[in-house]
Amino acid sequence: MESSLHKKPFLKPKRKSILKQKWLYFMMLLPLTSLIIWNYIPMYGIIISFKDYSPAFGIMDSPWVGFAHFERFFNAFYFWDVIINTLRISLYSLLVGIPLPIILALMFNELRRKKYKSLAQTISYIPNFISIVIVVGMVTFFTSPVDGVINTVIQYFGGTPIDFVGSAKLFPHVFVWSGIWQTVGWGTLIYTAAMSGIPQDQYEAAYLEGATRLQCIRYITIPAIMPTIVICAILATGSVMSVGFEKVLLMQNDANLATSEVLSTYMYKSGILNAEYSFSAAVGLFNNLINFIVLYLVNKFAQKFSETSLW
Amino acid sequence: MQFHLSREDKIFNWINIVVVGIITLLILYPLLFVVFASLSDPRQIFDSALLLWPKGFTLEGYKRVFDNPDIWMGFKNAVIYTVLGTAVNVIMTTLAAYPLSRRDFRGRNVITILFTFTMFFSGGLIPTYLVNQHLGIINTMWVMILPGAVSVYNMIIMRTYFQQNIPLELEESAFIDGATDMQLLLKVVLPLSTPIIAVMMMFYGVGRWNGYFDAMIYLSDRELFPLQLILREILVQNQMGDAANQAMMNSNQSEVNLIKQSIKYAVVVVSSIPVLVFYPIVSKYFEKGIMVGAIKG
Amino acid sequence: MFRAKKGKVVMSLLLASALLVTACGGKSGEAQDPKGNASADTKEISLLRPSWNNLRPASSELWMWQEYEKMSGIKVKWEELTDIGEKKNVILTRGDLPDAFYQVDWSNGELLKYGQQGLFLPLEELIKEHAPNLQKYLEENEDVRKGLTSADGHIYATPYIDPYPEGNRTIRLWINKKWLDNLGMEVPKTTAELEEALMAFVTKDPNGNGVNDEQGWYMPSGSLGWTFEQMMMGSFGIGNGGRKALGNFIYVDDNDEIQLTITADGYKELLKYENRMYKNGAINKQAFSGVDYDKWTADAAKDTVGAWNWAAIDYIGESVKDDFVAINVLAGPDGDTASLTDSQVAGASSLVVTKDAKDPGAILKWVDYFYSEEGSVFGYLGKEGVTYNVEDGKKVYIDEILNYKDGIGLGAFQYVDNVYGGYFPYIELSPEVRAAAGRKEAPVYTDLTEETLPSVMLPDLPATIQEANESSSIIADVGNYVGQMRVEFVTGTKDIDKEWDNYIAQLKKMGSDKYLEIKQTQYKRYKES
């Protein structure tokens, strides 16, 4: 966050001694302890990707198999299909899922009637609390080619009914947009909070200079929330290989399998269902390695071209 | 101060109001569907394309929900886990986010990477289970509260907010007055950060409220189950279940399913209510963040 | 379990560094939980099982188990878990195993692996010594013994046995008799007659409401492949071997050899049959997506369902279930018949004894009762005068059960355990006795006879660990591909004749030959065991 204020070093070098910052380290103590206990101590479990894990022997004593699980995965018949499907859905999600909450948050922010604004915001958050099972059930019902509301409308305007959930071609759209319904309102929260930190006098000054609302958005609001946008976008790219497992599994059927089989469901079917934990772990590790690399690169990119980055 | 709107701004306003209205309605209808369905005879929900009002009005679903002791118990547990867990989360996240927001904090990059690394690499379920077993917290409420104290994602969001919204002049003048970093955090930074704290409470609170996986793995006493686990039994089990479930399905499908059908929408409505109540309370703090002038270092 | 005090938690946090050393040990947690000292006269065993506590009282409070504790002199400490499928691996790791797993589903690959690695005990000797009823049943029923015996020759689990093919073991076709009567048609006996009947259903308004809302074969989406299609395999000459075999894409041919169903010529013909019916609307257009169980039962209640498949008729819901009659077999184009019936080893891992069992003999003694006739009755009906009464020589549940608000099955479930045939270690009662318990009569199926049953009904064939590993990755891919191609072939987006060679070639690429070879080896071993 090298915002204009932060660019000048305000603290004298001598304050940088560790002793002087003892309070800061003290603050970090508890979070770091928690991180060590629940994240770093269990991390030795990563090795089961390279072992043939059996609970009878435990993690340490199970036999090593090297990269066998990875080879099996890379040589799997559906390897490329699964990777492509995963990327298709997640990139689509990112493409739509990153800008829409920002736009909606900006629109909320421009509402001047408090009650209306609060009502609209509250309603937009609620879908986030609806169980995925129910969401998938509603998607199926609303999109039914026989008596669903969407197809009723399509037919009313003379179109032919479309089988949304039974089409491999449409699956990514249905998946992503039902996801948008569920999360777009919730996603505005961060931006709403960021906007509330913008001093009101900036707008007043702009108004006195004759700026329009759109200009205010463009020259005051967006720059002010830019760091948040960048950070959220970077973090989002770090899940490029992860697609919500439960929802895909619930929406999946033989008719859309050609595009709906993603890494997590594939892993579930060929690993967990057959109790091949090491194989699943290997696929998971591969998955996260890609995620991490992507995040790292995007962050590098951000360091270079914007003033905001993760580290 | 009162704005006098130009014609252009008026048009902009109206377009904005209308578009937000349309979006809100689009988001709203499926929610209403759930509410109507919860008040309908489960056999009649599918009768027409649009459910615009409860069909075959019945309170049976709600009656069953309120008669179900498990749901009340789950509700109580979920409130406890959510309140305590969120408190732990917000405190710990603040403690991590603030030092990392300080450009002069030595080691911040290393520590940030240390945190970020855990977003991607974890030892998996079994070693984590063993750690919790060593701590002796399995099948206690603590396993629902202590682990996962810091979400790295949230921590980074919060750090970004601190960097963005705490004027350096305030920090500087506080130092000149001889404040320690801790005093600075408590007296200057936090009062200026109510919006992000509110967001964190929402994020963590909802995460805790909706979470079921840890409960599923670590809890075996039914009296400790949070609401979502009970909900899952009603909604999900038998859909992705194991063979015993499958066999069970074969023969008693209609009986069990009938119960599930009549209860599932009602249970979703009931479980969302606390969040609905919670939001308006928290949302006030979004507005209150703007009081820069009022605070002196 | 380990219910820690607050202090302990804090202590543990402070001692976190010590953890680094211990947690890496992998195995852990010994002796944290003394399993209760068995007193002189009552033995105690610990069993872990899936929880049904959302539907009925906990096992420790269930009438049946309290009663059986008195009868057997053995106290059971139950640990009941939800979502066992996700948790069982963790449980094996946690250090303190229960004495036995009850009603937990292990694949035979897992049984063998964990058996050989010493987690599960081989039971054949213990059964001989402590479980006379089960031993007797195994001796009298070769196929059960073979089905339970792992590839290494050991038995690692006691079974759930259902000796009655007319019960839940057979998936049958239910056809709307009311509609047939309205149209003056007979119940179909052949696949051609079925096609004709279903065609009439969708074109001649048999429900008489003047609206063309009738469906032919109609079920929740995704069911077609493993219900209707598998049943029709019997008619197309590729259905011998039982339901488990068909589920694994294999059947037993006339030379008693294992063959793949999905590459057989009969399957091609079957796909064409389905394709024709789908095109004509005799199979519901949403057979592959878009209809869930709720929607289906709602439609069924409106009298729009012509035919569907399941074991029991209740599946379709109370209001219309009496409209349907069962068809167990249909003669195919070449006159073939075979019902879709499962092996009598309906569950092959109902009770598994672990290495931590202090007295394995006591566990087998405890479970053996349920392999006796008396035990079967006790598990399903309970005790005379307590949970059932005898009326006209028939055992009938007490009124509290019969009038239970959510149905008789759930009513009985409040008292006894083995109501739902779900992997309990025991021998199922006959459908007549079970129906009589609810003052009902079991349907009689005249078309389910020695002749129409498959000549062999295989259990899951015992596999070596290597075989299990090899076949599991093939089967996942093959399953996906066959599922996708079924949609394309049946809906007609791909032409069956034109694409068939291509389809076979793809399957071969995925390793279908290798898979067949594995299954053939397993079958040979099975027959010789």
Side-chain angles (χ1 to χ4, degrees), chain C residues 271-508:
Chain C
L271 285 172
K272 285 184 186 168
Y273 177 68
E274 288 176 307
N275 169 248
R276 217 164 47 232
M277 300 232 281
Y278 184 89
K279 252 188 344 220
N280 298 333
I283 287 176
N284 176 261
K285 290 282 176 206
Q286 288 183 284
F288 299 106
S289 66
V291 178
D292 57 17
Y293 180 78
D294 291 1
K295 166 95 169 105
W296 179 66
T297 45
D299 281 347
K302 282 181 272 177
D303 195 17
T304 60
V305 176
W308 52 285
N309 284 85
W310 204 257
I313 196 167
D314 313 54
Y315 189 60
I316 199 167
E318 284 299 313
S319 60
V320 288
K321 68 175 194 179
D322 296 329
D323 297 344
F324 293 87
V325 292
I327 298 172
N328 284 284
V329 286
L330 287 164
D334 299 325
D336 291 306
T337 57
S339 62
L340 182 56
T341 304
D342 197 1
S343 150
Q344 66 165 318
V345 191
S349 69
S350 293
L351 185 94
V352 173
V353 182
T354 72
K355 67 170 168 52
D356 289 354
K358 285 166 295 297
D359 188 353
I363 298 168
L364 283 159
K365 217 175 272 170
W366 178 86
V367 78
D368 190 49
Y369 176 64
F370 297 101
Y371 293 101
S372 71
E373 209 170 306
E374 192 192 321
S376 286
V377 171
F378 179 68
Y380 189 84
L381 281 145
K383 262 196 166 160
E384 184 173 355
V386 185
T387 54
Y388 73 87
N389 298 306
V390 176
E391 296 172 6
D392 307 326
K394 285 177 183 158
K395 302 181 178 73
V396 179
Y397 283 133
I398 53 172
D399 289 343
E400 281 88 341
I401 293 176
L402 292 175
N403 302 328
Y404 189 70
K405 60 180 184 344
D406 295 318
I408 298 169
L410 279 177
F413 209 37
Q414 310 301 314
Y415 296 86
V416 291
D417 210 2
N418 300 8
V419 186
Y420 287 119
Y423 274 64
F424 305 98
Y426 99 130
I427 300 176
E428 193 60 87
L429 292 170
S430 76
E432 295 90 66
V433 175
R434 282 187 288 147
R439 270 205 207 116
K440 288 178 194 153
E441 272 183 42
V444 179
Y445 306 118
T446 51
D447 60 347
L448 196 65
T449 62
E450 282 290 304
E451 263 103 76
T452 60
L453 279 174
S455 67
V456 266
M457 285 164 273
L458 296 175
D460 274 325
L461 290 172
T464 66
I465 291 169
Q466 204 205 342
E467 285 167 359
N469 285 344
E470 269 179 293
S471 56
S472 77
S473 54
I474 301 176
I475 200 101
D477 291 344
V478 167
N480 265 0
Y481 183 64
V482 169
Q484 287 181 50
M485 292 310 287
R486 178 185 298 119
V487 177
E488 309 248 21
F489 286 148
V490 173
T491 58
T493 47
K494 283 213 168 113
D495 185 83
I496 299 170
D497 280 319
K498 262 189 234 152
E499 295 282 336
W500 189 254
D501 292 340
N502 209 345
Y503 162 81
I504 301 280
Q506 279 289 11
L507 283 173
K508 283 202 201 303

Side-chain angles (χ1 to χ4, degrees), chain A residues 65-300:
Chain A
V65 296
F67 286 89
H69 300 298
F70 293 90
E71 276 165 32
R72 176 182 150 194
F73 176 54
F74 297 146
N75 293 327
F77 188 84
Y78 280 112
F79 176 75
W80 286 110
D81 296 72
V82 166
I83 299 279
I84 289 166
N85 287 344
T86 307
L87 288 177
R88 182 187 296 121
I89 291 176
S90 77
L91 289 178
Y92 188 2
S93 294
L94 291 181
L95 219 62
V96 186
I98 293 176
L100 282 188
I102 300 170
I103 294 168
L104 190 60
L106 288 170
M107 291 170 75
F108 282 153
N109 196 47
E110 293 302 319
L111 291 173
R112 287 290 166 268
R113 290 157 213 242
K114 278 249 163 68
K115 283 225 167 111
Y116 183 62
K117 177 178 174 183
S118 164
L119 183 73
Q121 281 178 320
T122 310
I123 287 171
S124 75
Y125 303 144
I126 304 173
N128 193 47
F129 314 126
I130 307 286
S131 161
I132 283 178
V133 184
I134 300 282
V135 173
V136 172
M138 286 196 289
V139 168
T140 310
F141 177 57
F142 292 147
T143 63
S144 164
V146 179
D147 47 14
V149 55
I150 294 174
N151 275 305
T152 312
V153 173
I154 289 175
Q155 278 170 300
Y156 181 81
F157 289 106
T160 42
I162 299 165
D163 187 1
F164 288 95
V165 290
S167 154
K169 224 167 90 198
L170 296 175
F171 175 81
H173 302 291
V174 179
F175 183 87
V176 169
W177 286 98
S178 60
I180 293 292
W181 173 77
Q182 217 180 351
T183 56
V184 67
W186 192 246
T188 62
L189 260 178
I190 293 178
Y191 304 112
T192 305
M195 287 175 208
S196 71
I198 305 171
Q200 204 59 28
D201 49 9
Q202 288 191 22
Y203 291 107
E204 285 162 18
Y207 171 74
L208 291 177
E209 285 171 27
T212 64
R213 297 287 284 279
L214 275 170
Q215 283 169 325
C216 286
I217 293 174
R218 187 158 160 211
Y219 296 108
I220 300 173
T221 316
I222 291 182
I225 63 171
M226 206 50 182
T228 309
I229 293 174
V230 173
I231 287 287
C232 286
I234 296 174
L235 288 172
T237 59
S239 60
V240 71
M241 295 288 276
S242 318
V243 174
F245 164 73
E246 202 179 5
K247 190 174 161 196
V248 178
L249 202 64
L250 286 168
M251 289 182 78
Q252 203 172 61
N253 55 53
D254 282 343
N256 64 25
L257 202 57
T259 58
S260 68
E261 187 79 311
V262 295
L263 259 168
S264 53
T265 54
Y266 180 76
M267 182 175 95
Y268 174 77
K269 284 179 198 168
S270 54
I272 296 170
L273 277 184
N274 302 308
E276 295 174 60
Y277 301 99
S278 282
F279 179 67
S280 305
V283 178
L285 185 61
F286 167 77
N287 193 354
N288 284 328
L289 201 64
I290 303 280
N291 277 338
F292 186 66
I293 293 169
V294 170
L295 179 102
Y296 185 83
L297 292 177
V298 171
N299 192 53
K300 261 262 146 74

Side-chain angles (χ1 to χ4, degrees), chain C residues 30-56:
Chain C
E30 283 122 80
Q32 286 200 29
D33 180 31
K35 284 200 196 94
N37 299 319
S39 63
D41 48 348
T42 39
K43 288 184 178 166
E44 187 175 279
I45 58 176
S46 61
L47 299 182
L48 189 147
R49 68 171 303 178
S51 160
W52 304 114
N53 299 345
N54 53 334
L55 299 172
R56 63 101 191 270

Side-chain angles (χ1 to χ4, degrees), chain B residues 43 47 64 126 129-130 133 135-136 138 146 216 220-221 232-233 243 250-255 261 264, chain C residues 2-4 9 26 28 54 81-83 87 89-90 93-94 105 294 297 310 314-315 406 409-410 420:
Chain B
R43 301 279 182 207
D47 275 0
R64 276 186 180 276
I126 292 156
Y129 187 94
L130 293 175
Q133 194 179 34
L135 295 172
I138 285 184
L146 296 177
M216 180 178 97
S220 47
D221 279 0
R232 221 178 102 81
E233 284 182 342
N250 287 334
S251 47
N252 79 331
Q253 185 85 12
S254 56
E255 281 177 4
Q261 280 176 3
K264 74 179 190 189
Chain C
F2 337 98
R3 196 182 289 263
V9 175
S28 63
N54 53 334
L81 298 182
T82 51
D83 298 286
K87 273 191 268 191
N89 182 51
V90 173
T93 315
R94 73 182 183 191
D105 178 33
D294 291 1
T297 45
W310 204 257
D314 313 54
Y315 189 60
D406 295 318
L410 279 177
Y420 287 119

